Amino acid sequence: MERLHARYPFFAAAREAVDAAAVDLGELVTRPDEPAVDRAVDRVVSALTDHTIGEPHGDDRIELLSYPVARVVVSLVDDPVVTRTYAKAEAATAHERVLADLDGGDDLKFTTNDTDLTVERLLAEFDLEDEVVPTEDGYEVAVTRYLQLAADLDDPDWRLPRRSLAAGDVPVTRDELLELLRAAIEERVAAGLPFAVPDAIAAELDHAVAAVEDVLSDPAIPTEFADVDPAAFPPCMDALLERARAGEELPDHSWFVLLSFCATVGMHAEEVVAIVDPGDETVAERIRYGVERVATSEGEIAYPPVSCATMQTYGDCVNKDETCETIAHPLSYYETRLAADD
Ligand code: SF4
């Protein structure tokens, strides 16, 4: 296994290295105190708390093996917010490494042409050689692929009307191309997640799943409120409600956080349907299903909404006001505003 594989474990060559090493993940997760499992938990927990994948393990083999184990853990947690946050964190770390490695990174010394990281190699890795061509000033990206990769990028400068088009291609700088590659990495990491995990492996990873779920159910977050008062909703939830009312197809994680927020402040499914007012029974059903999903059978909230930091990662933290400066979670905002309005 090469160091490149440990740094970019989602590369096809890294997957092949794991296969070639004939590592039995089912057997690996049964070993007590297996460092690859600990590192896998660290990858996922760091994604949720810091939006990074934490510090790499000193042993490249352990670092590489921790990636497929982390994917198993994410699959077992089976929460769209966790999946998305994890994929974003892997992509964010990879993006930093790509920048360092391409610019002659100080901590990576490749010795053969096979393992040199180049823009061309990255393009080949993501089947982009025919859709991205170098130019004198940067690169040109085929417009259909550009639209796909830029779809989740927040800055309005990525929108097509703000770009020049050259015969069906979109000119981009090198830095912009690397940003688009970050989106490709996120897409690669998220592909296939969550997947079905055999019961025998799931049983061995109970502790890993519990560690992730502990982070999700942060006890510092207020979860009990005297009133349901939409006037005290934070700006981010107001904005998501507006978009839902306008009939916009929200990304899964945005839907999830909106429904989770509404359920946690005490709204029943029909109240959420009423406040969104979708005018479409399919969307109303989706709301009912979502609200039921975030609650346990005892009516408690199994999946409270994510923190402000994660909302920022999603691009869902918008229209911040003075109260936002004093809190770290949308539910804390709601609690603060309810108390102020009393
Ligand atoms: S700071 Fe927090 S509460 Fe305020 S808009 Fe952003 S995510 Fe919402």
Side-chain angles (χ1 to χ4, degrees), residues 27 96 118 150 152 169 186 233 251 259 265 275 286 290 292 313:
E27 188 273 322
E96 281 175 16
T118 61
D152 282 343
D169 294 326
E186 184 181 332
F233 278 19
L259 299 183
V265 302
I275 198 172
R286 191 177 173 198
E292 281 167 17
T313 304

Side-chain angles (χ1 to χ4, degrees), residues 7-78:
R7 284 175 78 77
Y8 304 104
F10 43 82
F11 275 11
R15 278 204 305 269
E16 286 162 13
V18 173
D19 291 345
V23 176
D24 180 347
L25 288 184
E27 188 273 322
L28 181 136
V29 300
T30 65
R31 295 181 201 155
D33 301 323
E34 166 56 48
V37 174
D38 292 344
R39 173 68 185 121
V41 172
D42 181 43
R43 285 184 107 98
V44 184
V45 168
S46 295
L48 296 174
T49 54
D50 301 331
H51 312 300
T52 72
I53 56 163
E55 285 299 311
H57 197 283
D59 183 323
D60 288 344
R61 183 174 181 279
I62 290 168
E63 182 68 6
L64 173 58
L65 291 176
S66 71
Y67 176 72
V69 177
R71 290 174 61 82
V72 173
V73 172
V74 168
S75 294
L76 289 169
V77 174
D78 190 15

Side-chain angles (χ1 to χ4, degrees), residues 100-131:
D101 294 347
L102 287 179
D103 294 338
D106 42 7
D107 59 344
L108 186 67
K109 301 283 180 263
F110 296 135
T111 54
T112 75
N113 287 337
D114 258 4
T115 52
D116 275 343
L117 189 73
T118 61
V119 171
E120 290 69 30
R121 177 167 184 165
L122 285 166
L123 294 177
E125 178 68 35
F126 294 100
D127 293 328
L128 288 165
E129 315 104 300
D130 297 334
E131 294 171 298

